[in-house]
Amino acid sequence: YNGTVNVKGQVLLINPWIYDFAAHNLWIEPLGLLTIAAALRDRGYGVTVIDCLAPHAGAPTPRPDGSGKFQKSAIPTPDAVGFVPRRFGRYGMPAEQFEIALASAPAPDLVMVGSGMTYWYPGVIRAIERVRARFGPVPVALGGIYATLCPEHAQRRSGADRILAGPGLVAALRMADEVTGSDSDADHYADPRTWPPSAHDLIPRPFAGIITSWGCPFHCTYCASRRLQPTFVQREPRSVVDEILGCARRGIRDFAFYDDALLVKAERHIVPTLEAVVAEGVPANFHTPNGLHANAIDASLARLMKAAGFSSVRLSLETTDPTRQRMTGGKVTTAAFERAVAALWEAGFHPGMLAAYILTGLPGQPLSEVEDTVRFVHGLGVQAKLALFSPIPGTPDGDRALPAEADPLLHNNTVYPYLLDNEYVRRLQGIKLLAKKGNAMLSSHSVDPLHHPPHL
């Protein structure tokens, strides 16, 4: 969307590439950036969005649900991670298409760049370099995950004029007003519940990301959710349903929930949301890439999830070791996980629809614990998804694993095992193969769960 008449000013928003050893499009959409774009548009700004991870000419064909592969361009491996024996790459839009998009954009009064994982920062630097080459001294602001978790590094290295750490909508509006001499009443958005829904229409995708809450009430030792959003706030169910309906009218059928705590206070939040989805007859397939809290799933909620159209359910188990469960935050027990799986089976979910995240590589965690958890999960007929530990700065486990001054490239979960030793990497590969083989058996739908949970 390019507003050109009677606008306060032109704002260009950019979602940079992923620079990594591997990347998969698990329903990735820059919701934070698109929410800021929606607010700017509502307040009278002309808005242009360049999303390097959006569908583009030459990109791999996505799966029917919209997930799939990114286009990869091989690039030199940065020196800081040169010891990793894998090919480094830029994922997303080819560089020449990005240049064309910049040349096609209205001359901006302000450029806002988002950022994902801390170890993707080379993509941020490259995007800002190209903005400078095209638009000269235009003010550039950087927000997002990298900017929030590594603000000093971002200030030194990114090339941005201003770092907007933390939830950035109010700060973004204030900066736009400062640059243009306007007044958008930014304080109106101080409460996240007043934020507009993400402007999904600006960069069409075959799916839509939906966030129904911000933050998380839990205190997991490996997670940065509370640093990114200090308070836990849930949207009104009706506003969530209206956003889903708006996307459905544009032909979207696949939706991915981005919440860190989707099922918390379920009776006041997700239950009325899904009941309305069912009542409205929305033809939807729902996905949960961030993982659900198993202790919140009972028979009633499982039936509602099935009726609403949940088609891929990922549960957060992390480990079956009770001591580590308590040490890392105590959000789930093995017994609660078993009860949740039993409820989901009874509701009609099948092995190809259920998966569990298993944390792998926490400081002090033996790989035998990971292997035991994989076998347990497979025994319940649930696919095992290894969630390799990423040492996130400012978290208890992250700070145990790496010094604060470490290059953010070392936060990469692909890199961290190679910081340990070759034997660890060899054993880890064996567990990955174990998980892959078991998952393939379950995905075939030709087998029943090895130990089907009893009717509870």
Side-chain angles (χ1 to χ4, degrees):
Y1 170 87
N2 299 327
T4 56
V5 180
N6 297 325
V7 297
K8 295 177 178 177
Q10 291 289 340
V11 182
L12 172 62
L13 299 102
I14 297 175
N15 184 38
W17 303 274
I18 292 173
Y19 275 49
D20 206 336
F21 294 100
H24 185 77
N25 182 12
L26 201 63
W27 306 289
I28 292 178
E29 188 178 26
L31 291 189
L33 202 69
L34 293 180
T35 303
I36 291 172
L40 287 166
R41 185 169 63 178
D42 288 351
R43 288 317 202 213
Y45 284 93
V47 175
T48 304
V49 178
I50 300 176
D51 184 354
C52 294
L53 302 182
H56 59 269
T61 302
R63 296 174 179 173
D65 64 10
S67 65
K69 296 181 178 180
F70 289 112
Q71 183 173 351
K72 180 178 182 178
S73 303
I75 58 176
T77 303
D79 290 343
V81 290
F83 57 90
V84 178
R86 296 183 61 172
R87 293 181 63 190
F88 201 71
R90 180 182 61 238
Y91 293 84
M93 176 188 297
E96 56 271 21
Q97 289 189 28
F98 183 70
E99 295 294 339
I100 293 171
L102 286 178
S104 302
D109 298 294
L110 171 65
V111 177
M112 294 185 173
V113 181
S115 62
M117 301 300 187
T118 58
Y119 44 88
W120 294 347
Y121 76 82
V124 170
I125 293 174
R126 181 61 175 167
I128 293 176
E129 286 176 349
R130 301 318 304 158
V131 165
R132 296 292 192 202
R134 170 64 58 177
F135 299 115
V138 61
V140 178
L142 174 65
I145 295 174
Y146 162 61
T148 300
L149 297 182
C150 301
E152 295 84 5
H153 186 275
Q155 189 66 63
R156 293 195 312 269
R157 297 288 305 277
S158 71
D161 297 297
R162 190 174 301 179
I163 306 301
L164 306 181
L169 191 148
V170 171
L173 271 177
R174 285 176 176 162
M175 185 170 181
D177 287 347
E178 175 186 326
V179 168
T180 62
S182 303
D183 182 4
S184 298
D185 187 21
D187 289 338
H188 169 76
Y189 295 106
D191 184 341
R193 286 169 292 196
T194 65
W195 294 357
S198 299
H200 304 282
D201 60 295
L202 293 182
I203 302 291
R205 282 173 163 79
F207 62 87
I210 300 293
I211 188 159
T212 79
S213 63
W214 299 271
C216 182
F218 295 93
H219 297 78
C220 298
T221 58
Y222 47 81
C223 179
S225 179
R226 281 179 168 265
R227 289 198 62 196
L228 299 172
Q229 173 63 51
T231 58
F232 178 59
V233 181
Q234 293 178 309
R235 292 171 63 185
E236 291 298 322
R238 187 65 242 175
S239 71
V240 176
V241 176
D242 288 343
E243 181 177 356
I244 293 170
L245 285 170
C247 292
R249 293 188 191 104
R250 294 191 296 108
I252 301 297
R253 294 293 177 267
D254 285 275
F255 298 87
F257 285 115
Y258 280 29
D259 299 61
D260 290 324
L262 180 67
L263 305 185
V264 169
K265 301 178 182 177
E267 290 301 320
R268 291 163 41 191
H269 185 64
I270 194 60
V271 168
T273 300
L274 297 183
E275 287 176 342
V277 166
V278 174
E280 298 272 3
V282 181
N285 300 310
F286 290 111
H287 312 276
T288 59
N290 278 4
L292 300 177
H293 293 116
N295 61 347
I297 299 176
D298 58 16
S300 175
L301 180 55
R303 288 192 297 269
L304 181 57
M305 290 165 59
K306 190 68 170 62
F310 278 65
S311 60
S312 57
V313 177
R314 298 198 172 195
L315 304 169
S316 294
L317 173 61
E318 324 306 5
T319 177
T320 54
D321 182 85
T323 300
R324 200 170 310 281
Q325 287 172 346
R326 291 191 297 271
M327 289 172 54
T328 55
K331 70 177 181 182
V332 67
T333 65
T334 304
F337 180 83
E338 289 185 284
R339 288 193 295 271
V341 171
L344 291 165
W345 290 138
E346 296 299 331
F349 289 88
H350 58 70
M353 303 169 78
L354 303 184
Y357 285 123
I358 299 171
L359 268 175
T360 305
L362 283 170
Q365 180 189 35
L367 283 176
S368 58
E369 177 187 314
V370 178
E371 182 174 348
D372 289 345
T373 306
V374 169
R375 294 186 185 281
F376 169 79
V377 165
H378 282 162
L380 292 180
V382 177
Q383 295 190 47
K385 301 292 184 181
L386 300 187
L388 297 181
F389 170 66
S390 176
I392 303 171
T395 64
D397 287 324
D399 292 343
R400 287 171 60 197
L402 285 178
E405 64 274 12
D407 191 311
L409 287 167
L410 299 180
H411 302 162
N412 195 325
N413 57 5
T414 298
V415 171
Y416 186 67
Y418 292 95
L419 293 175
L420 303 178
D421 57 60
N422 291 335
E423 176 61 18
Y424 184 93
V425 173
R426 186 191 67 78
R427 291 188 58 205
L428 177 59
Q429 289 302 116
I431 296 174
K432 287 182 178 180
L433 183 59
L434 173 70
K436 182 177 180 180
K437 288 182 176 179
N439 293 347
M441 290 180 60
L442 293 169
S443 293
S444 70
H445 301 175
S446 61
V447 295
D448 290 324
L450 302 180
H451 301 293
H452 186 65
H455 180 73
L456 298 177

